[in-house]
Amino acid sequence: KQWYQRRVAITAGGLGKSTLINSLFLSSIYEDEKYPVAGTPNKTVKVQNSTVYLVEGGVSLKLTLVDTPGFGDAINNTKCWKPILEYIDSKYEEYLNAEGHVNRSTVVDNRVHCCLYFISPGHGLKPLDIEFMKQLHEKVNIVPVIGKADTLTPEECVEFKANVMKEIEFHDIKIYQFPIDEFDEEEEAQDLQAQLPFAVVGSNTMLDINGKKLRGRMYPWGIAEVENPDHCDFIFLRNLLIRTHMQDLKDVTNNVLYENFRCNKLAAVTSVSLDSKLASSNRNPLAQFEIEKKEHQERLKNMKAGMEKVMEEKVKEKMTKMDEQKNELKVKHDQALKHLEKMKKEIEAKRTELKDAQKAFDELQLSSGVTVNNSTSSLNSTKDKISGKKNKSTKKLF
């Protein structure tokens, strides 16, 4: 099953971008944003990818949305388009490198084919809008879009569209041009071109109007229907992206924009190599030999300096490790000495305690021995007296 791949970049925030994208593909690609707390620093421009898989009429479409949150939100927006430009160039660079491989049948096309640039409703383009489109109009197909068009009356919308297109022509900004081929009439392409910039309204809310389900926004003065061509250009934008002109967007990217990038890239490389060859061919052999010898010596010198630097760093690292180990050993040695000194003091205290106990025991034993001897001698004298009396009485009887 083959998937046709497209990449669409989306810029400018706070203009109903997330709601519109969710409305285009009937899915919650972007969740509801939480309002930042007061004092939150400004966001920086970054690139985020979201992939959508669509199947309609047996045709499978893999659509990658490249969002740029933070664009134009800072106080100083100088060169805030640089991350976006670098991202587009990086995808061209990847494709160019992949074309240089042996097997080019498996090259994945990750190039950006279209850029939806959201314009704030007002009186005309801002300086940031003009500078951004001038920086990117040779890199990607730019489709200008007026966000939150339901804030304008029909007369204001027509006047604002005319002012925007006048400024685009005045500054020579190249936006996407609808093609004219044998199957399309010139008037149809001109009608589509006249719709630019597309004034769109996004909504994910389904309203029930007289038993009819439709998507739109309810206001006190009426309903702004998303899919009603009389109310906004949502239908034209959706058909442009995923139905009628999606292949033409890819063809223009491949045959015009990418080829310009490729030619400029290869021309820069060949010009440098040709200049070096011409400069070397105009020198005589001896001078060329001396120059090459100096270059070789310079390279050796740089290599030697680099190796010495690496060696010094390794020696410093080793010395640092040795010092750390030395300090650890010293700390452990001091702790061991303190522990031994503590144990020595405890042993001395126990020895003194043992001596005192031995002394007390000896004194107690000595005093108890004198008492026992005295009692024994008295008992012996008593026995002697009794035996003497018995002997005397025995003599008298006989």
Side-chain angles (χ1 to χ4, degrees):
K1 192 174 183 180
Q2 184 178 2
W3 288 88
Y4 295 92
Q5 300 188 29
R6 303 290 181 276
R7 280 188 170 246
V8 179
I10 309 161
T11 57
L15 297 174
K17 171 192 64 180
S18 302
T19 305
L20 177 65
I21 296 302
N22 291 340
S23 303
L24 279 172
F25 306 110
L26 299 177
S27 60
S28 300
I29 299 173
Y30 297 105
E31 301 295 338
D32 295 335
E33 295 183 357
K34 296 181 180 179
Y35 292 98
V37 183
T40 303
N42 294 324
K43 296 180 290 184
T44 57
V45 181
K46 54 184 179 181
V47 178
Q48 295 179 347
N49 295 336
S50 301
T51 303
V52 182
Y53 295 91
L54 304 175
V55 180
E56 185 173 352
V59 178
S60 303
L61 175 65
K62 177 184 176 183
L63 187 69
T64 302
L65 303 175
V66 183
D67 194 5
T68 57
F71 176 79
D73 294 343
I75 297 175
N76 183 8
N77 290 309
T78 304
K79 295 185 179 181
C80 63
W81 55 82
K82 189 175 180 182
I84 305 170
L85 187 63
E86 290 176 350
Y87 177 83
I88 295 173
D89 285 341
S90 68
K91 296 305 173 183
Y92 281 149
E93 192 77 32
E94 288 178 8
Y95 194 84
L96 180 62
N97 294 333
E99 280 191 329
H101 296 164
V102 176
N103 185 10
R104 293 185 294 177
S105 60
T106 59
V107 176
V108 180
D109 187 3
N110 290 324
R111 295 170 296 183
V112 180
H113 303 108
C114 180
C115 174
L116 298 182
Y117 187 78
F118 282 72
I119 301 170
S120 176
H123 301 286
L125 294 176
K126 299 177 182 177
L128 178 60
D129 301 332
I130 296 170
E131 189 61 31
F132 174 85
M133 288 191 283
K134 287 175 69 175
Q135 291 289 332
L136 267 72
H137 68 154
E138 293 183 353
K139 300 286 186 179
V140 67
N141 295 304
I142 297 177
V143 177
V145 177
I146 301 173
K148 295 184 178 180
D150 50 344
T151 60
L152 300 172
T153 64
E155 294 78 12
E156 290 174 344
C157 186
V158 172
E159 184 181 357
F160 182 60
K161 281 187 174 185
N163 292 337
V164 169
M165 292 306 295
K166 284 180 182 178
E167 292 189 47
I168 287 175
E169 293 176 2
F170 177 77
H171 293 284
D172 196 20
I173 298 172
K174 301 173 185 176
I175 60 175
Y176 176 68
Q177 300 292 324
F178 289 90
I180 301 173
D181 54 29
E182 57 182 358
F183 300 104
D184 295 332
E185 297 181 358
E186 185 176 354
E187 294 182 0
E188 184 180 354
Q190 290 177 354
D191 292 340
L192 289 173
Q193 197 72 32
Q195 295 291 337
L196 293 175
F198 293 124
V200 295
V201 178
S203 175
N204 298 321
T205 304
M206 299 298 296
L207 303 176
D208 189 356
I209 307 299
N210 298 326
K212 183 180 179 181
K213 296 286 186 179
L214 54 87
R215 284 189 298 157
R217 291 181 177 271
M218 180 78 73
Y219 294 101
W221 46 264
I223 300 172
E225 298 180 19
V226 172
E227 297 179 345
N228 190 341
D230 296 331
H231 292 185
C232 68
D233 300 328
F234 177 84
I235 294 294
F236 300 107
L237 179 61
R238 185 177 65 184
N239 292 339
L240 166 73
L241 291 178
I242 61 178
R243 290 180 182 172
T244 57
H245 292 81
M246 61 178 183
Q247 185 59 41
D248 185 68
L249 288 168
K250 189 171 182 179
D251 291 340
V252 173
T253 301
N254 184 67
N255 300 330
V256 179
L257 302 174
Y258 170 69
E259 285 299 322
N260 291 338
F261 171 84
R262 178 174 169 275
C263 291
N264 294 332
K265 192 77 174 179
L266 297 178
V269 174
T270 53
S271 62
V272 172
S273 60
L274 285 174
D275 292 341
S276 60
K277 287 182 179 178
L278 289 173
S280 61
S281 62
N282 292 331
R283 304 190 191 103
N284 59 49
L286 292 177
Q288 182 67 24
F289 176 76
E290 290 295 330
I291 292 172
E292 291 178 358
K293 183 179 178 181
K294 288 181 180 179
E295 290 177 354
H296 182 67
Q297 290 177 350
E298 188 69 23
R299 284 196 298 270
L300 289 176
K301 184 178 179 181
N302 293 334
M303 289 175 62
K304 184 179 178 181
M307 292 175 67
E308 289 178 352
K309 185 178 180 181
V310 171
M311 184 61 69
E312 289 179 0
E313 291 177 355
K314 288 187 176 181
V315 169
K316 287 181 180 179
E317 184 179 356
K318 193 68 177 178
M319 292 297 294
T320 304
K321 278 188 179 180
M322 290 178 65
D323 291 339
E324 291 177 355
Q325 292 176 356
K326 184 179 179 181
N327 293 332
E328 290 178 0
L329 290 174
K330 185 178 180 181
V331 170
K332 289 181 180 179
H333 180 69
D334 294 341
Q335 291 177 353
L337 287 177
K338 289 181 180 179
H339 183 65
L340 289 173
E341 190 68 26
K342 183 180 178 181
M343 289 180 64
K344 185 178 179 181
K345 289 181 179 180
E346 290 177 356
I347 291 171
E348 290 293 333
K350 288 182 179 180
R351 182 179 293 175
T352 303
E353 184 180 353
L354 182 61
K355 286 182 178 181
D356 294 341
Q358 183 70 31
K359 184 177 179 181
F361 178 76
D362 292 341
E363 291 177 354
L364 180 62
Q365 189 178 15
L366 184 63
S367 60
S368 62
V370 172
T371 305
V372 169
N373 291 332
N374 292 333
S375 60
T376 304
S377 58
S378 61
L379 286 172
N380 292 332
S381 60
T382 305
K383 287 180 178 180
D384 293 337
K385 288 180 180 180
I386 293 171
S387 59
K389 287 181 179 181
K390 286 182 177 182
N391 293 329
K392 287 180 180 181
S393 60
T394 304
K395 289 179 179 179
K396 287 181 179 181
L397 289 176
F398 293 99

